[in-house]
């Protein structure tokens, strides 16, 4: 707070904004590494920076913008190591890729591709490969050190602990028992390998649909249709001067698409495609420069034209997002969704006046009875968590996210407490809980959101 005044939510969001700005600076350096002219670098910044996924990640208090910075820094160090795989460059690239994966596992396939390339490059080019390979192993360790914070946070009893909010081993959720979930390392291991980590339907028909949907969303709403022309041209242009690097970048994009196909769904497609989007932006900038050079005779004019092409490539997907918000595209009804927030569908999207969540949360807190167990979706509850745990409002309330397997929690609540003093409060209708409900009082928070209050026991709750 000393360095960045203001409320905590604003400061947390500012971290993403700064990370997004730094990422674009690093992107310029990457384009210089692949011998792009200054006009090409500006085109790349426009293509990536104005893309809806990157832009949203940079104004949203999430991990994505920070992970993107690590990814792009690692890619820049990899390009430096491609010419001369020194111990320092190899260590930096490996540590930064590991940090990107620590930031979000969606970068794991890209990190694996480039890690294999670095090993091959060291074995082929380094005079004494032993030290660089040891440096790579040390970089892996350094990059994954932040996971130790997860263990500390789990033991420290912080208010926001996903494992305690969601997982209830006492009720047998995910086949767990208290004995199998009572140690920090057991819980961290479950985060990486547990049943909830693999929710995707692996039937071939579903995977094929996911693959098509991910590509459609990428080239309709993020990279845009023009990227279908610019990116291949840029990939071929880079292949002439740096064929191995061009191949590596294509593999990064392909493995990103594959991961998206297997594990992502709906509003998460574009998020999981971030590594592919960054590669498409790099190729697209090179393609715009190549196309501009073919049209304009003078180098200066071709650079300006490349920037103009990049701007046009940004405007088309934005127009498609706005159009699809009212009239979804194609038989699968493609439209753009944003994880956790309002769709950026306006002609001139603005979020500087987006206070709806706070106002709704404050209104809900004013209406909820004292001592209640408040049950709701993540979207509504997260504001209440923030107001309670960060700003200290309504500390008498207990919150619980709607989740399959939480019914025993409700049974324990009503067995231990008098519901006339500690009622259940539902933020909106929840089909999962509806079979257990009886007579409800209701009060309107805002149009479309009501509080439902139950002061009698839920019926037919499983105890386990």
């Amino acid at each position: 707070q000393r360095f960045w005044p203001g409320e905590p939510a604003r400061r947390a969001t500012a971290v993403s904004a700064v990370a997004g700005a730094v990422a674009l600076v690093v992107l310029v350096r990457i384009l210089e590494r692949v011998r792009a002219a200054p006009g090409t670098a500006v085109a790349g910044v426009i293509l990536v920076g104005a893309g809806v996924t990157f832009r949203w990640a940079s104004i949203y208090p999430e991990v994505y913008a920070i992970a993107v910075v690590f990814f792009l820094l690692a890619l820049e160090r990899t390009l430096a190591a491609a010419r001369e795989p020194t111990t320092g460059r190899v260590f930096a690239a490996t540590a930064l890729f590991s940090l990107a994966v620590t930031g979000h596992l969606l970068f794991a396939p890209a990190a694996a591709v480039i890690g294999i390339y670095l090993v091959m490059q060291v074995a082929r080019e380094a005079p004494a490969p032993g030290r660089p390979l040891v440096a790579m192993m040390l970089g892996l360790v350094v990059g994954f050190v932040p996971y130790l914070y997860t263990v500390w946070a789990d033991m420290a009893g912080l208010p926001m602990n996903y494992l305690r909010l969601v997982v209830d081993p006492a009720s047998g959720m995910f086949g767990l028992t208290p004995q199998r979930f009572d140690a920090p390392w057991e819980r961290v291991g479950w985060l990486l390998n547990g049943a909830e980590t693999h929710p995707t339907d692996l039937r071939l028909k579903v995977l094929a649909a996911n693959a098509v949907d991910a590509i459609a969303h990428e080239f309709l709403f993020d990279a845009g249709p023009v990227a279908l022309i610019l990116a291949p041209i840029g990939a071929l242009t880079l292949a002439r001067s740096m064929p191995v690097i061009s191949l590596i970048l294509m593999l990064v994009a392909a493995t990103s698409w594959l991961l998206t196909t297997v594990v992502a769904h709906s509003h998460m497609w574009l998020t999981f495609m971030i590594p592919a989007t960054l590669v498409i932006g790099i190729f697209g900038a090179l393609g715009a420069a190549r196309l501009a050079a073919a049209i304009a005779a003078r180098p200066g004019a071709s650079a300006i034209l490349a920037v103009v092409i990049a701007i046009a490539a940004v405007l088309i997907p934005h127009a498609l997002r706005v159009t699809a918000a009212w009239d979804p595209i194609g038989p699968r009804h493609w439209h753009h969704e944003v994880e956790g927030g309002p769709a950026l569908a306006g002609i001139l999207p603005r979020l500087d006046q987006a206070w709806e969540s706070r106002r709704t949360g404050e209104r809900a807190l004013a209406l909820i009875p004292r001592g209640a167990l408040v049950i709701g979706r993540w979207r509504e509850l997260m504001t209440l968590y923030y107001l309670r745990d960060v700003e200290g409002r309504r500390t008498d309330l207990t919150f619980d996210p709607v989740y399959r397997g939480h019914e025993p929690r409700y049974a324990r609540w009503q067995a231990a407490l008098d519901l006339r003093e500690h009622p259940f409060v539902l933020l909106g209708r929840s089909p999962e809980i509806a079979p257990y409900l009886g007579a409800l009082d209701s009060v309107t928070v805002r149009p479309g959101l009501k509080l439902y209050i139950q002061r009698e026991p839920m019926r037919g709750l499983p105890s386990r």
Side-chain angles (χ1 to χ4, degrees):
Q1 188 169 1
R2 181 183 306 172
F3 300 103
W4 200 300
E7 60 181 358
R10 188 182 298 272
R11 298 203 307 273
T13 305
V15 172
S16 293
V18 171
V22 172
L24 293 179
V25 173
V26 179
L27 180 65
V28 171
R29 182 59 177 161
I30 290 172
L31 287 163
E32 290 175 351
R33 288 281 186 194
V34 296
R35 303 164 192 169
T40 304
V42 173
V45 167
I46 292 172
L47 284 169
V48 172
V52 67
T53 303
F54 182 89
R55 177 159 45 103
W56 180 248
S58 301
I59 57 174
Y60 186 47
E62 253 284 7
V63 299
Y64 305 120
I66 298 171
V68 165
V69 170
F70 287 131
F71 173 78
L72 290 177
L73 284 169
L75 183 56
E76 192 278 332
R77 288 292 81 195
T78 299
L79 293 174
R83 295 186 176 182
E84 187 180 357
T86 64
T87 300
R89 289 174 175 176
V90 169
F91 168 78
T94 309
L96 288 164
F97 268 121
S98 301
L99 284 169
V101 175
T102 299
H104 202 291
L105 287 173
L106 68 89
F107 291 97
V113 167
I114 298 182
I116 293 170
Y117 165 71
L118 283 172
V119 170
M120 296 172 61
Q121 186 71 0
V122 166
R124 184 172 58 249
E125 300 291 341
R131 291 183 63 186
L133 291 176
V134 171
M136 287 188 70
M137 298 300 297
L138 182 60
L140 284 172
V141 173
V142 169
F144 290 125
V145 161
Y147 273 109
L148 295 177
Y149 168 80
T150 306
V151 178
W152 173 84
D154 187 29
M155 298 171 63
L158 299 179
M160 182 57 64
N161 186 324
Y162 175 83
L163 295 175
R164 300 185 193 280
L165 290 177
V166 169
V167 184
D168 187 13
S171 64
M173 283 184 67
F174 306 112
L176 294 169
T177 63
Q179 293 74 25
R180 292 175 53 200
F181 210 66
D182 58 357
W185 284 110
E186 290 177 340
R187 292 191 283 270
V188 171
W190 182 85
L191 276 176
L192 296 173
N193 303 304
E196 196 192 37
T197 312
H198 311 285
T200 304
D201 189 335
L202 296 179
R203 289 177 297 173
L204 184 60
K205 181 179 179 180
V206 174
L207 292 177
N210 280 350
V212 171
D213 289 338
I215 286 291
H217 279 71
E218 179 68 32
F219 288 107
L220 285 173
F221 306 127
D222 206 337
V226 177
L228 282 172
I229 301 172
L230 297 182
I233 294 174
L236 291 174
T237 301
L238 185 60
R240 293 192 183 101
S241 59
M242 305 175 73
V244 175
I245 297 302
S246 181
L247 176 61
I248 292 299
L249 291 176
M250 285 189 281
L251 288 174
V252 166
T255 53
S256 172
W257 176 41
L258 180 62
L259 179 70
T260 304
T261 297
V262 174
V263 306
H265 52 85
S266 184
H267 59 279
M268 296 299 294
W269 281 317
L270 289 180
T271 299
F272 272 76
M273 287 285 283
I274 285 176
T277 302
L278 295 171
V279 170
I280 291 169
I282 294 170
F283 283 153
L286 295 172
R290 179 70 176 175
L291 187 60
I295 297 173
R298 294 188 301 172
S302 64
I304 294 173
L305 189 55
V307 173
V308 171
I309 292 172
I311 293 173
V314 168
L315 293 177
I316 292 174
H318 184 63
L320 288 172
R321 289 193 296 271
V322 173
T323 301
W326 300 98
D327 185 16
I329 298 171
R332 292 187 62 80
H333 304 287
W334 292 315
H335 63 283
H336 178 244
E337 295 181 66
V338 175
E339 179 195 358
L344 306 180
I347 298 298
L348 294 175
R350 292 181 55 183
L351 291 177
D352 58 325
Q353 300 298 322
W355 293 96
E356 179 186 345
S357 293
R358 171 179 279 277
R359 289 167 182 160
T360 298
E362 291 173 338
R363 171 73 173 158
L365 288 184
L367 296 172
I368 295 172
R370 289 191 59 81
L373 173 62
V374 184
I375 305 168
R377 303 287 181 187
W378 285 104
R379 184 181 177 90
E380 287 82 15
L381 271 185
M382 286 303 100
T383 302
L384 303 190
Y385 274 115
Y386 172 81
L387 293 173
R388 185 193 67 179
D389 298 333
V390 178
E391 298 190 0
R393 305 190 188 191
R394 296 300 307 271
T395 55
D396 60 291
L397 299 178
T398 302
F399 302 136
D400 191 79
V402 174
Y403 215 90
R404 178 171 45 85
H406 279 198
E407 292 86 350
R409 289 187 176 182
Y410 312 145
R412 293 195 292 269
W413 178 273
Q414 65 188 28
L417 299 170
D418 184 349
L419 293 181
R420 292 171 296 180
E421 301 293 330
H422 301 277
F424 295 110
V425 174
L426 279 72
L427 290 174
R429 288 286 189 182
S430 298
E432 299 91 337
I433 303 175
Y436 310 114
L437 299 178
L440 298 172
D441 298 324
S442 67
V443 59
T444 300
V445 179
R446 59 164 170 78
L449 179 62
K450 287 186 176 183
L451 295 180
Y452 296 93
I453 304 167
Q454 177 160 320
R455 299 182 183 273
E456 62 183 44
M458 291 190 187
R459 300 166 299 185
L461 285 174
S463 60
R464 179 179 173 83

